[in-house]
Amino acid sequence: MADVMILMGSKSDLAIGEKAVKVLKDFGISHEMHVASAHRTPAYVEDLVKNRGAKVFIGMAGVAAALPGVIAAMTTKPVIGVPVGGKVPFDSLLSIVQMPPGIPVATVGVDRGDNAAFLAAQILGLTDSGLASKVAQQREKAAAKVMADDQSIQTIEA
Ligand code: RP5
């Protein structure tokens, strides 16, 4: 069983899935990614979630984006939802974020496959101190870049 399973509603969501895969690979987190549609292949979604399983699920979908909510209905593991944008970005955002009480989907920003993977790393880091250290190092790297960027514009401002 992989630590993270990414499900995309369509192969057309692949660019967003690849953002998540890049971050998961950087952290060395085991993962698998599938195309599985809540509307078109519900039995396949159920088989992946219930029989293959994972510690954390990431669901990505556009338009009437039921997929992350359907995954959440099938498991008590954490589910992270990524609204896929395209021509109608806010339909998917609202479809994913507005879950009824008791069955949450942790929703990240539109097309933010990368943030879904960062959040998955933080969740897995609760029981993996090595991974938690990698997340802390990544934050330090991000902070160092901001400081370097600030330094780099001082000559322009002077
Ligand atoms: C959703 O409908 C998918 O997640 C995708 O974002 C959108 C369009 O799907 P395709 O028509 O490209 O297969 O279910």
Side-chain angles (χ1 to χ4, degrees), residues 9-10 12-13 40 60-63 84:
S10 169
S12 65
D13 303 325
R40 292 172 282 196
M60 310 184 162
V63 291
V84 174

mmCIF file of all heavy atoms in Angstrom, residues 9-10 12-13 40 60-63 84, ligand 1:
data_model
loop_
_atom_site.group_PDB
_atom_site.id
_atom_site.type_symbol
_atom_site.label_atom_id
_atom_site.label_comp_id
_atom_site.label_asym_id
_atom_site.label_seq_id
_atom_site.Cartn_x
_atom_site.Cartn_y
_atom_site.Cartn_z
ATOM 1 N N GLY A 9 -10.058 12.867 -11.797
ATOM 2 C CA GLY A 9 -11.321 12.564 -12.473
ATOM 3 C C GLY A 9 -11.181 12.323 -13.965
ATOM 4 O O GLY A 9 -12.050 11.711 -14.580
ATOM 5 N N SER A 10 -10.068 12.788 -14.528
ATOM 6 C CA SER A 10 -9.858 12.652 -15.973
ATOM 7 C C SER A 10 -8.372 12.758 -16.267
ATOM 8 O O SER A 10 -7.626 13.409 -15.512
ATOM 9 C CB SER A 10 -10.608 13.773 -16.716
ATOM 10 O OG SER A 10 -10.226 13.826 -18.076
ATOM 11 N N SER A 12 -7.307 14.569 -18.392
ATOM 12 C CA SER A 12 -7.098 16.006 -18.660
ATOM 13 C C SER A 12 -6.648 16.755 -17.400
ATOM 14 O O SER A 12 -6.224 17.906 -17.482
ATOM 15 C CB SER A 12 -8.372 16.641 -19.254
ATOM 16 O OG SER A 12 -9.429 16.614 -18.314
ATOM 17 N N ASP A 13 -6.718 16.105 -16.233
ATOM 18 C CA ASP A 13 -6.237 16.718 -14.979
ATOM 19 C C ASP A 13 -4.761 16.400 -14.709
ATOM 20 O O ASP A 13 -4.222 16.774 -13.658
ATOM 21 C CB ASP A 13 -7.059 16.198 -13.772
ATOM 22 C CG ASP A 13 -8.551 16.453 -13.912
ATOM 23 O OD1 ASP A 13 -8.922 17.496 -14.479
ATOM 24 O OD2 ASP A 13 -9.344 15.613 -13.445
ATOM 25 N N ARG A 40 -18.177 8.566 -13.835
ATOM 26 C CA ARG A 40 -18.106 7.630 -14.962
ATOM 27 C C ARG A 40 -17.628 6.234 -14.555
ATOM 28 O O ARG A 40 -17.984 5.248 -15.189
ATOM 29 C CB ARG A 40 -17.218 8.216 -16.066
ATOM 30 C CG ARG A 40 -17.869 9.451 -16.717
ATOM 31 C CD ARG A 40 -16.951 10.178 -17.677
ATOM 32 N NE ARG A 40 -15.984 11.006 -16.973
ATOM 33 C CZ ARG A 40 -15.268 11.976 -17.566
ATOM 34 N NH1 ARG A 40 -15.420 12.212 -18.845
ATOM 35 N NH2 ARG A 40 -14.416 12.692 -16.854
ATOM 36 N N MET A 60 -8.580 14.905 -7.218
ATOM 37 C CA MET A 60 -8.512 16.097 -8.078
ATOM 38 C C MET A 60 -9.598 15.992 -9.134
ATOM 39 O O MET A 60 -9.726 14.941 -9.775
ATOM 40 C CB MET A 60 -7.179 16.156 -8.816
ATOM 41 C CG MET A 60 -5.990 15.970 -7.950
ATOM 42 S SD MET A 60 -4.501 16.178 -8.919
ATOM 43 C CE MET A 60 -3.359 16.450 -7.567
ATOM 44 N N ALA A 61 -10.353 17.061 -9.313
ATOM 45 C CA ALA A 61 -11.371 17.015 -10.351
ATOM 46 C C ALA A 61 -11.833 18.427 -10.692
ATOM 47 O O ALA A 61 -11.670 19.356 -9.896
ATOM 48 C CB ALA A 61 -12.567 16.171 -9.905
ATOM 49 N N GLY A 62 -12.400 18.556 -11.896
ATOM 50 C CA GLY A 62 -12.918 19.840 -12.349
ATOM 51 C C GLY A 62 -14.436 19.830 -12.419
ATOM 52 O O GLY A 62 -15.095 18.838 -12.078
ATOM 53 N N VAL A 63 -14.983 20.934 -12.807
ATOM 54 C CA VAL A 63 -16.430 21.200 -12.950
ATOM 55 C C VAL A 63 -17.251 20.700 -11.744
ATOM 56 O O VAL A 63 -17.005 21.112 -10.631
ATOM 57 C CB VAL A 63 -16.958 20.742 -14.349
ATOM 58 C CG1 VAL A 63 -16.402 21.646 -15.439
ATOM 59 C CG2 VAL A 63 -16.652 19.289 -14.658
ATOM 60 N N VAL A 84 -9.794 21.455 -9.800
ATOM 61 C CA VAL A 84 -9.111 21.723 -11.079
ATOM 62 C C VAL A 84 -9.859 22.854 -11.772
ATOM 63 O O VAL A 84 -11.093 22.865 -11.822
ATOM 64 C CB VAL A 84 -9.060 20.450 -11.953
ATOM 65 C CG1 VAL A 84 -8.487 20.765 -13.330
ATOM 66 C CG2 VAL A 84 -8.226 19.370 -11.256
HETATM 67 C C1 RP5 B 1 -14.024 16.209 -14.393
HETATM 68 O O1 RP5 B 1 -14.434 16.833 -15.545
HETATM 69 C C2 RP5 B 1 -12.569 15.923 -14.560
HETATM 70 O O2 RP5 B 1 -11.927 15.897 -13.324
HETATM 71 C C3 RP5 B 1 -12.074 17.027 -15.445
HETATM 72 O O3 RP5 B 1 -11.457 18.067 -14.703
HETATM 73 C C4 RP5 B 1 -13.344 17.549 -16.101
HETATM 74 C C5 RP5 B 1 -13.340 17.376 -17.577
HETATM 75 O O4 RP5 B 1 -13.141 16.010 -17.872
HETATM 76 P P1 RP5 B 1 -12.843 15.533 -19.374
HETATM 77 O O5 RP5 B 1 -14.029 15.932 -20.182
HETATM 78 O O6 RP5 B 1 -11.574 16.266 -19.809
HETATM 79 O O7 RP5 B 1 -12.618 14.062 -19.278
HETATM 80 O O8 RP5 B 1 -14.739 15.032 -14.149
#
